[in-house]
Amino acid sequence: MTTNRHAELGLTNEDVLKMFETMLMARRIDERMWLLNRAGKIPFVISCQGQEAAQVGAAFALDNSKDYIAPYYRDMGVVLHFGMTARDLMLSAFAKAEDPNSGGRQMPGHFGQKKNRILTGSSPVTTQLPHAVGVALAAKIEKKDFITFVTLGEGSSNQGDFHEGLNFAGVHQLPCITMVENNNYAISVPFERQVASKTVADRASSYGMPGFRVDGKDPIEVYKVVKEAADRARNGEGPSLIEAVTYRLTAHSSDDDDRQYRTAEDIAEGKALDPLITFAVYLKETGVLTDELEKEINDRIMKEVNEATDYAESAPYAAPEDALKHVYAEKDGGNA
């Protein structure tokens, strides 16, 4: 029988089932968004497929009642664990007025929700890293009991904000975890043409922090490494850099054709290692999941996704006169 690795880390069967359910929810929402895009109902999709294990494993290692996160555009699994719902994400995809991220102003994947401590994201990549470091600095100055967690792709690790953010976090020993989700392609540019070092994690020593490379297709392993980093951060031992090696199962976005730079064999190999499939196998081998329970979970998720889709599609768009709302101060009506 397969070794019960989650129990060794203090995770219950209920914990790992919830992890699986969150991964599956992210996948089913993402799949629905692709169908809606191809049907001409939503303009854009930037996918999480293949990276759910890294996202959910990491998110479960944090405290979603007090920690702050600065997710990047693929991180549907992270934001779901931190309190976003299928309805929230569909409202964003349809750019409706009730979209909690931006009221329909931002592109999909630009997450932001104050009540759940999800820092607002922007289109220029890597800008979220200095923001997360800044919030971690506030935690240290004010002696608050929270840490920050920021994610980005490996292509983003070559931006100036990556250096500035990690260097500042290292100098000031801030409670900030940076996780690079290395899916091997910065849009179409392969890893070996992006990064001169052997791994992204190798860069950690330059910033005075530990660096770890982990199998991002294994949520249990990601949980372990991020939990250890979180414990260090809470104990005043400073930041960590984690590189989760994943595989992007789709094109970069709905506007990309990855057949131009990936072979059919490469894509088939990646799909064979789909973390939803391999994690389900692990859960079944450890007696946590059955075929019947898996169907029950999937049916429940699909009901929620269907309801979220119907609600978001019929929800109103923002009024044209609200285009500048939240941009300039409003002196009338008590909103200044």
Side-chain angles (χ1 to χ4, degrees):
M1 192 171 183
T2 299
T3 302
N4 189 327
R5 295 186 295 121
H6 63 272
E8 294 174 354
L9 298 175
L11 290 167
T12 66
N13 289 350
E14 290 72 24
D15 290 334
V16 289
L17 272 178
K18 185 62 178 174
M19 290 170 74
F20 176 74
E21 185 169 342
T22 306
M23 289 170 58
L24 190 59
M25 174 65 81
R27 177 67 62 88
R28 296 296 182 249
I29 294 171
D30 194 287
E31 290 172 340
R32 175 59 54 82
M33 287 179 176
W34 277 92
L35 291 174
L36 291 166
N37 172 263
R38 293 315 193 226
K41 292 188 174 184
I42 65 174
F44 186 73
V45 182
I46 190 119
S47 189
C48 71
Q49 292 186 41
Q51 298 179 215
E52 300 96 338
Q55 296 167 7
V56 173
F60 270 72
L62 306 171
D63 188 332
N64 65 355
S65 69
K66 65 182 180 182
D67 292 337
Y68 283 73
I69 59 171
Y72 94 123
Y73 48 78
R74 297 193 192 280
D75 272 342
M76 198 179 294
V78 175
V79 300
L80 282 169
H81 184 62
F82 267 73
M84 281 200 172
T85 66
R87 178 182 288 190
D88 291 339
L89 294 165
M90 282 298 174
L91 284 165
S92 174
F94 278 98
K96 295 302 181 74
E98 291 179 67
D99 163 29
N101 299 276
S102 68
R105 291 164 173 79
Q106 286 269 42
M107 293 171 66
H110 290 51
F111 307 111
Q113 195 171 42
K114 185 175 181 180
K115 71 176 184 179
N116 287 318
R117 300 163 316 286
I118 302 172
L119 304 183
T120 298
S122 185
S123 291
V125 298
T126 329
T127 55
Q128 69 272 21
L129 204 159
H131 297 164
V133 170
V135 174
L137 176 63
K140 184 171 183 177
I141 291 173
E142 298 179 3
K143 295 180 171 57
K144 295 289 183 65
D145 182 28
F146 65 80
I147 65 174
T148 64
F149 175 75
V150 56
T151 57
L152 57 150
E154 82 288 348
S156 297
S157 74
N158 304 314
Q159 300 295 312
D161 283 335
F162 180 84
H163 166 72
E164 293 177 23
L166 288 188
N167 189 63
F168 193 92
V171 167
H172 297 280
Q173 287 296 285
L174 300 179
C176 179
I177 301 169
T178 299
M179 187 173 84
V180 174
E181 297 179 33
N182 179 0
N183 63 24
N184 291 300
Y185 287 95
I187 305 183
S188 60
V189 181
F191 181 77
E192 61 271 15
R193 296 187 65 183
Q194 304 172 51
V195 178
S197 57
K198 185 177 180 181
T199 72
V200 174
D202 286 344
R203 296 172 171 178
S205 60
S206 300
Y207 303 114
M209 65 182 71
F212 302 90
R213 200 170 202 246
V214 61
D215 181 1
K217 299 180 291 298
D218 183 346
I220 303 298
E221 191 61 26
V222 175
Y223 172 89
K224 176 180 181 292
V225 173
V226 176
K227 182 65 168 61
E228 290 169 351
D231 290 344
R232 286 194 300 272
R234 296 188 204 283
N235 292 332
E237 298 174 41
S240 300
L241 173 62
I242 297 166
E243 177 185 7
V245 181
T246 66
Y247 187 87
R248 196 186 75 203
L249 291 175
T250 68
H252 171 72
S253 73
S254 53
D255 295 341
D256 176 44
D257 182 0
D258 60 343
R259 293 173 299 178
Q260 301 299 313
Y261 55 88
R262 294 205 291 196
T263 66
E265 292 76 19
D266 176 32
I267 295 171
E269 183 179 339
K271 288 184 176 180
L273 298 173
D274 182 339
L276 268 175
I277 296 173
T278 56
F279 192 42
V281 169
Y282 166 80
L283 293 176
K284 289 174 182 178
E285 289 179 347
T286 53
V288 176
L289 184 68
T290 63
D291 291 340
E292 293 75 21
L293 181 56
E294 185 177 14
K295 182 180 184 303
E296 178 187 319
I297 292 171
N298 187 69
D299 290 347
R300 184 170 67 248
I301 285 172
M302 288 309 303
K303 181 175 184 292
E304 187 173 344
V305 171
N306 289 336
E307 290 173 351
T309 304
D310 292 343
Y311 182 90
E313 188 169 10
S314 61
Y317 289 101
E321 56 268 27
D322 288 341
L324 298 182
K325 193 174 182 180
H326 308 305
V327 177
Y328 299 105
E330 299 177 19
K331 293 184 178 180
D332 298 325
N335 294 320

